[in-house]
């Protein structure tokens, strides 16, 4: 519930988001939540704090999440079955995105490359998101050719595993490439991005 005010982009709603996170932590503690759950709450709060302009606080939360995740004992204190989507890999994905929003392209790129190298093949939709994030990191490093390669790979995945959220992320990264509009990789990306298949898929997806 904290994401709604955080993603609104309205600074006046920062306290609303933080209040919801405090409530979530209180309920989690009351329910004797394990380290994995608390690491996830750290990751959520990190994204919220980044959205409200405090990347230092966000990265501290990510580092804390990594620390307590390493202490997680899944045998003695397992997570609920429905929580199987969160993992150290997903936490690293949160970290990569936080580093991007903090303007730390090189670290974000290294983190996301590690994520992509170990992400299961079955997580095709999530891979398309991480590829778009890796492209955003490449833009921060002033490497438009690499950014385009990541985005092309993400579009390859979308052709078989449609995910509207990923297409939105790809388009957002493309907007950051405007100073390189004239180079061939960006023009080729545009041709791919706006071809009829992608357009139709975006309308029906």
């Amino acid at each position: 519930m904290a994401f709604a005010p955080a993603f609104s982009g309205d600074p006046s709603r920062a306290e609303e988001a933080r209040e919801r996170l405090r409530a979530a932590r209180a309920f989690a503690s009351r329910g004797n939540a394990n380290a994995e759950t608390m690491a996830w709450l750290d990751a959520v709060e990190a994204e919220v704090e980044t959205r409200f302009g405090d990347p230092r606080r966000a990265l501290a939360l990510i580092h804390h999440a990594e620390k307590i995740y390493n202490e997680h004992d899944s045998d003695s204190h397992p997570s609920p079955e429905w929580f199987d989507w969160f993992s150290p890999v997903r936490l690293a994905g949160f970290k990569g995105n936080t580093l991007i929003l903090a303007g730390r392209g090189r670290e974000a790129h290294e983190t996301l490359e590690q994520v992509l190298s170990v992400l299961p093949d079955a997580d095709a939709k999530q891979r398309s998101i991480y590829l778009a994030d890796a492209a955003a990191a490449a833009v921060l490093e002033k490497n438009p050719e690499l950014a385009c390669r990541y985005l092309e790979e993400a579009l390859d995945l979308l052709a078989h595993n449609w995910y509207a959220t990923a297409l939105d992320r790809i388009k957002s990264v493309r907007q950051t490439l405007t100073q390189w509009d004239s180079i061939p990789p960006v023009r080729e990306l545009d041709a791919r991005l706006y071809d009829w298949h992608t357009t139709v898929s975006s309308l029906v997806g």
Side-chain angles (χ1 to χ4, degrees):
M1 292 178 66
F3 278 129
F7 279 80
S8 70
D10 182 357
S12 68
R13 301 189 68 186
E15 188 54 33
E16 178 185 353
R18 291 171 179 141
E19 173 61 27
R20 291 179 179 182
L21 280 163
R22 286 194 291 268
R25 289 187 183 279
F27 286 123
S29 296
R30 186 181 304 169
N32 195 29
N34 63 13
E36 185 175 39
T37 303
M38 301 310 292
W40 173 66
L41 287 174
D42 279 342
V44 172
E45 186 173 356
E47 185 155 356
V48 168
E49 290 299 335
T50 303
R51 299 283 172 177
F52 287 124
D54 194 347
R56 180 176 295 181
R57 168 67 177 157
L59 289 172
L61 285 160
I62 290 291
H63 293 321
H64 182 258
E66 291 173 327
K67 178 178 182 296
I68 63 176
Y69 213 138
N70 289 333
E71 300 168 355
H72 174 55
D73 186 346
S74 59
D75 293 327
S76 64
H77 200 168
S79 297
E81 290 185 7
W82 56 263
F83 202 61
D84 61 351
W85 55 270
F86 190 63
S87 67
V89 174
R90 294 295 180 93
L91 176 58
F94 269 97
K95 181 178 182 179
N97 185 255
T98 299
L99 287 165
I100 289 168
L101 296 173
R104 295 165 65 166
R106 180 184 59 79
E107 294 171 70
H109 184 204
E110 292 173 355
T111 298
L112 290 162
E113 273 292 323
Q114 292 173 2
V115 169
L116 290 166
S117 70
V118 299
L119 190 70
D121 291 339
D123 291 346
K125 289 186 176 181
Q126 196 60 38
R127 179 177 291 275
S128 63
I129 291 289
Y130 293 148
L131 284 166
D133 282 350
V139 173
L140 287 175
E141 293 187 284
K142 307 296 184 184
N143 192 337
E145 292 85 0
L146 180 59
C148 288
R149 286 201 296 272
Y150 282 128
L151 295 179
E152 290 269 9
E153 188 176 345
L155 288 170
D156 287 341
L157 286 174
L158 292 189
H160 303 285
N161 302 274
W162 179 247
Y163 192 26
T165 300
L167 182 61
D168 289 342
R169 189 76 65 92
I170 291 168
K171 288 181 176 179
S172 293
V173 178
R174 169 59 185 94
Q175 291 173 2
T176 67
L177 289 165
T178 53
Q179 63 179 299
W180 297 288
D181 278 351
S182 62
I183 69 172
V186 175
R187 290 183 174 178
E188 291 168 9
L189 173 65
D190 285 345
R192 177 76 182 282
L193 186 58
Y194 296 106
D195 71 9
W196 69 267
H197 178 73
T198 302
T199 301
V200 172
S201 296
S202 68
L203 291 174
V204 301

